[in-house]
Amino acid sequence: MSSPSYETDKEPCIPVLFLDGHQDELGWRDVLLRAHLIKDLALPVPPAASAVLRLLVAMAARVSGLDARAEPRMTARQWAARRRELLTHPDGFAPDAVHAYFDDYTWDLFHPVRPFLQDPRLATQCTERAGVNKLVFGRPEGNNLLWFSPHADTDPQPVPSAQALWHMLIHHYYGAAGQWSVRTVGGRSLNRAKAGPLRSSLSFHPLGRTLYETLLAGIPKPDPSWPDAVDHCPWEEPLPDADPDDGPDPDAAPPPVSSPGRLLTGRSRHAVLLIPAPDGRQVADAYLTWATQKKLPALDPYLIHHIHADEPITRRHRPRRADADRALWRDLDALLLAGDEDDRKGPQKKSGKRRYTVQRPDAFTTLNDLPPDLRAVLRVRVYGFDQDGKTTNRTWYTALTPPIWPWTQECDPAAAERIAECRKAAEEIGEHLDNLSKDAWKQTTNSGSPRHLPPWTRSARTLYWPRAEATFWNLLDDPARSARAAFAANAIDALRTATRLAIAQHFRAAEAVATAVAQLRLRSR
């Protein structure tokens, strides 16, 4: 009987949407071969789509020659010219280059020596399997209660191999910190893993008219500051000359991060080994544990970073966190401005405020080199996974901007500054609305500082931000209108609506709300 096999470069495992409107599932190889006919990825799980897009960009860099391996001495100007020339090809990536690349490596999920993005040594280094429910995000596992899922560890159901691939990628990029299966390496047993490199992050990707344009637009530019090291994706790493069981030591320092291979695909801190069903069509179990305890510092090219110049260098760059309650338009100015400063109240900081610089995603710094017709229609795809820093997963989401590149600081400084001005005004008024509604609640109820948001604040916030979004877009068409006054009017309307019933029920409510409204009017000037 043949061994289970699932070759991800050929099996239908990546859902895509074609230009003619129909959907299909393709392997890695066919995705690149038909990228010029594909409109967008169609994965239903946003963090998996974020991971898949990073892998595809690394593969596209290899087959297009836009990586340092193809031309180590290529200057930034030559690189930009090469990318513009590729974007004129109506037939996409060269088929011979695509086939040559995929023929060189192993893509089988269940290969006995080199399973794709997995470590076969876990079968002997781990004493316990994690279970398929631990692999699949959204399934309850262990002693967790079964609220909205039919799955339980008493009767674990296999998952299709394509979906197992998606969830394995989520673990590699967004995996939790904390306790995992015990892994014994060199006589030392550990069961604690570090958080994945994208955990709790918000990821921004330039989106073209076709997947071919999206991948080429998303390739990070060459950077002479990267270490002078051979750049490998995990599937490109050479096998050890001796026994494969003597592979890379997880306790050893990992190779330095290089671009684009290791930067986009080689910073996982989790190790996975999938256990297939006999036919290879499903995954029945899995090993999940730590891959390295070492840090792999790098700035992901698709994240907005807050740079705190007064912090130690190891904590200076902090990615903007995903927040399902935060609308996408509130991040637009960070994409459009080359650099911006913002104030935030520092947690437990007696000095009040900290200043930091907002750095747009590095992948956006070369978009002005794209052909004008592509820049005019370029949108941004956003993938967010709202998580805490350790184990709790709240929700994932995706969003899509309109074509925004004509508004960038480089193309239209006035438009970019107006967007920043309106966003800051909305944030400031929203913060005052929160504080004033809390004060009004305390005055009305004679209560101290509540542990949770008062109901007036929750309701007012829920009402304010959707109205502020509509106001934001209207303000962009009316540059003479005062942004602070417009958002203050939204806040006053939201507060009055949120407290209308309370005014009839509480003796002191009307006075407290009137005071808050007066303060908001003062802020509108």
Side-chain angles (χ1 to χ4, degrees):
M1 184 176 179
S2 61
S3 300
S5 175
Y6 192 87
E7 297 181 344
T8 60
D9 65 319
K10 300 174 183 175
E11 296 284 355
C13 55
I14 308 298
V16 296
L17 174 66
F18 282 88
L19 292 172
D20 63 7
H22 85 277
Q23 293 191 25
D24 202 353
E25 295 186 357
L26 307 174
W28 300 113
R29 186 187 303 251
D30 282 333
V31 170
L32 288 191
L33 287 172
R34 304 169 69 181
H36 59 294
L37 304 175
I38 296 171
K39 183 177 182 180
D40 198 3
L41 298 177
L43 278 92
V45 185
S50 169
V52 164
L53 197 51
R54 283 172 168 81
L55 266 66
L56 287 171
V57 167
M59 297 171 189
R62 298 293 195 236
V63 302
S64 65
L66 287 174
D67 64 337
R69 297 202 319 184
E71 184 57 57
R73 298 184 179 180
M74 183 164 46
T75 66
R77 179 172 294 182
Q78 292 171 332
W79 182 88
R82 167 66 176 160
R83 183 169 67 167
R84 284 195 300 270
E85 191 270 331
L86 286 167
L87 286 166
T88 65
H89 293 183
D91 296 329
F93 297 110
D96 290 345
V98 174
H99 287 300
Y101 180 74
F102 283 97
D103 289 344
D104 279 346
Y105 303 109
T106 301
W107 307 92
D108 190 350
L109 276 185
F110 310 126
H111 192 275
V113 176
R114 186 155 214 168
F116 182 62
L117 294 179
Q118 299 163 71
D119 192 334
R121 297 173 296 174
L122 300 190
T124 56
Q125 293 177 348
C126 295
T127 57
E128 294 183 357
R129 298 177 180 179
V132 69
N133 290 345
K134 181 78 170 181
L135 170 71
V136 179
F137 282 77
R139 286 190 183 184
E141 45 87 18
N143 294 323
N144 293 318
L145 296 176
L146 311 180
W147 291 109
F148 303 108
S149 174
H151 299 283
D153 281 351
T154 55
D155 185 25
Q157 298 299 309
V159 61
S161 295
Q163 295 181 27
L165 170 65
W166 308 345
H167 290 276
M168 178 180 70
L169 291 174
I170 300 175
H171 281 289
H172 280 311
Y173 285 90
Y174 298 88
Q179 292 189 354
W180 292 77
S181 299
V182 176
R183 182 181 188 183
T184 302
V185 178
R188 187 166 74 108
S189 297
L190 290 174
N191 68 340
R192 300 194 67 83
K194 305 295 184 181
L198 298 184
R199 185 163 184 85
S200 72
S201 70
L202 189 62
S203 190
F204 299 85
H205 301 263
L207 185 70
R209 293 162 294 194
T210 65
L211 184 60
Y212 178 69
E213 292 181 345
T214 296
L215 297 180
L216 291 178
I219 296 176
K221 69 180 185 301
D223 189 340
S225 67
W226 285 111
D228 185 15
V230 176
D231 181 52
H232 283 143
C233 298
W235 56 87
E236 298 169 348
E237 294 284 358
L239 282 170
D241 295 332
D243 187 348
D245 288 339
D246 298 329
D249 182 2
D251 277 336
V257 177
S258 51
S259 180
R262 288 197 173 103
L263 174 64
L264 298 181
T265 68
R267 294 195 296 133
S268 174
R269 306 181 81 176
H270 293 77
V272 182
L273 181 61
L274 304 177
I275 308 301
D279 61 358
R281 300 294 93 188
Q282 295 178 314
V283 169
D285 210 335
Y287 293 95
L288 293 167
T289 186
W290 59 276
T292 179
Q293 300 294 326
K294 311 295 183 182
K295 289 186 177 180
L296 300 170
L299 295 186
D300 187 278
Y302 308 111
L303 306 185
I304 294 172
H305 287 90
H306 297 174
I307 303 175
H308 299 260
D310 56 345
E311 294 283 351
I313 192 169
T314 56
R315 300 175 54 197
R316 191 166 295 170
H317 295 81
R318 302 178 190 174
R320 181 165 292 182
R321 295 178 66 92
D323 183 352
D325 296 328
R326 180 183 173 89
L328 174 62
W329 63 270
R330 296 167 68 182
D331 295 311
L332 276 181
D333 58 328
L335 301 177
L336 300 177
L337 296 176
D340 191 20
E341 286 189 350
D342 202 359
D343 288 320
R344 287 290 182 270
K345 290 184 178 179
Q348 300 178 353
K349 291 277 185 178
K350 294 182 180 180
S351 60
K353 292 186 177 181
R354 305 182 285 189
R355 186 171 295 278
Y356 60 79
T357 301
V358 178
Q359 178 178 306
R360 68 162 58 142
D362 190 58
F364 285 63
T365 60
T366 62
L367 296 184
N368 285 316
D369 295 326
L370 296 174
D373 63 319
L374 176 54
R375 289 203 311 269
V377 298
L378 201 65
R379 297 175 294 170
V380 178
R381 171 72 71 188
V382 185
Y383 298 111
F385 197 174
D386 192 339
Q387 307 168 287
D388 71 359
K390 293 187 178 295
T391 60
T392 302
N393 302 320
R394 184 182 176 195
T395 188
W396 51 54
Y397 58 96
T398 186
L400 181 64
T401 73
I404 65 171
W405 212 246
W407 300 336
T408 59
Q409 190 173 31
E410 296 89 339
C411 299
D412 190 340
E417 291 295 339
R418 176 63 170 171
I419 288 172
E421 173 196 355
C422 294
R423 195 275 305 168
K424 290 178 181 178
E427 299 273 4
E428 182 181 338
I429 297 298
E431 184 177 352
H432 289 312
L433 175 62
D434 281 358
N435 293 333
L436 292 170
S437 60
K438 291 176 186 176
D439 290 342
W441 170 263
K442 286 190 290 184
Q443 293 172 22
T444 301
T445 62
N446 283 327
S447 62
S449 298
R451 295 179 58 186
H452 305 289
L453 282 180
W456 292 1
T457 304
R458 287 198 303 270
S459 298
R461 180 185 291 181
T462 301
L463 292 165
Y464 170 73
W465 284 111
R467 299 177 189 189
E469 180 172 5
T471 298
F472 171 81
W473 293 111
N474 291 332
L475 286 169
L476 300 187
D477 297 326
D478 189 0
R481 185 181 175 194
S482 169
R484 291 171 61 86
F487 290 119
N490 292 150
I492 291 170
D493 187 41
L495 181 60
R496 284 175 167 166
T497 302
T499 58
R500 184 173 294 127
L501 293 178
I503 288 175
Q505 298 171 352
H506 296 277
F507 175 72
R508 299 179 180 178
E511 180 181 358
V513 171
T515 300
V517 168
Q519 291 294 320
L520 285 170
R521 285 203 176 101
L522 287 175
R523 294 289 181 179
S524 68
R525 297 173 184 173

